[in-house]
Structures are given as C-alpha cells and as structure tokens.
Amino acid sequence: MSEYELRLAPDSGENAEEQLRSLLHWLREDENLGPGVRGTLCSTAPPGAEDMGAGLDLVALIAGSALSSGSLVFSVLEWRAGRRRAPALVVRRGRVEVRIPADGAVDAEELRRIVAALGEDDGRTREPEGDDGTA
C-alpha cells in the first residue's frame, strides 16, 4: 500500500475545497484506478479551526500495491487538464513532495520525471525539472 496526499497550491484560488471534492470524485470514477485507490478529504488545520472558516484542503489517498504512481499521476493530470484554469498541485508520497505548476501542460517527459520523483523517498521537495535540468 502507498499513501499519497494531494493539495492545491496556496495560489490556486478560493474554492480549494470544491476543487478537491471534484478531484476525489474524478479519481473514484476513473476506470483505470478502479478499487485500487481509496481517498478522503481532510483538513490540515488544527482541531476546532473549522469554526473559524478553515475547510478541507487535502485529499489523502491509499493506493493498493498494484497501482502505479504513474497511473495515479496521469489521472490527476487528466482532471487538471479539464479545469477552466488548471490549478497548481502538490503531490506528496512519504517525505517526497512534487509541485506541479499551474502554467502549461505536462508533457510525457515531465510526467516521467514526476513519477520517478514520487518513487524516491529522500525527504526533499521537488519541482519537475525542465529539459535543461533546471526547476
């Protein structure tokens, strides 16, 4: 089993909870993921903060061992591409975070780098690198 967290980057708009609900629904309905992934909406705010307007801001996923990071990331990127304004996302697996910027589409090479980064667990935060090796 692998655990993932999906968050919208802080600058992704005001309706983060609505967007995360949409993402979770998308993942549950994805035939390629099937029952291999279970997810819930969570809050990173301290207990009681809901009363002060803090909402749900995180999708926590548990993926079966047969599900690859590539399948999950591909599905997330498909959801993102269908949005009017593609939000910036943060995908976390273990101690590794990958930031997917809002600007532009993710090509096959960048997808490969994202999946490779999520396969590692060295505690660093990563941005997908460009073709020249820069973030």
Side-chain angles (χ1 to χ4, degrees):
M1 295 272 197
S2 297
E3 295 182 19
Y4 296 86
E5 293 179 357
L6 303 169
R7 289 181 283 123
L8 296 176
D11 59 348
S12 292
E14 295 179 21
N15 57 357
E17 184 174 334
E18 180 181 316
Q19 290 190 63
L20 289 173
R21 285 185 189 283
S22 170
L23 174 57
L24 183 57
H25 178 74
W26 175 273
L27 295 173
R28 287 178 176 159
E29 297 297 317
D30 188 326
E31 293 176 357
N32 295 318
L33 300 180
V37 65
R38 294 187 321 260
T40 57
L41 286 171
C42 305
S43 175
T44 57
E50 296 84 20
D51 298 335
M52 297 183 290
L56 303 172
D57 58 357
L58 171 77
V59 174
L61 298 170
I62 297 176
S65 57
L67 181 71
S68 71
S69 293
S71 296
L72 178 63
V73 170
F74 186 77
S75 185
V76 169
L77 293 176
E78 281 185 315
W79 169 83
R80 185 177 162 269
R83 310 301 292 174
R84 267 187 229 142
R85 183 174 160 241
L89 294 169
V90 178
V91 182
R92 181 181 185 100
R93 179 175 178 227
R95 296 179 302 157
V96 176
E97 276 190 3
V98 177
R99 297 177 193 279
I100 303 170
D103 55 351
V106 176
D107 63 16
E109 183 62 23
E110 192 164 354
L111 175 60
R112 184 194 62 75
R113 285 190 286 266
I114 292 168
V115 172
L118 289 172
E120 300 173 12
D121 189 12
D122 63 3
R124 294 190 293 169
T125 299
R126 303 167 190 269
E127 299 224 9
E129 296 177 356
D131 290 337
D132 62 356
T134 60

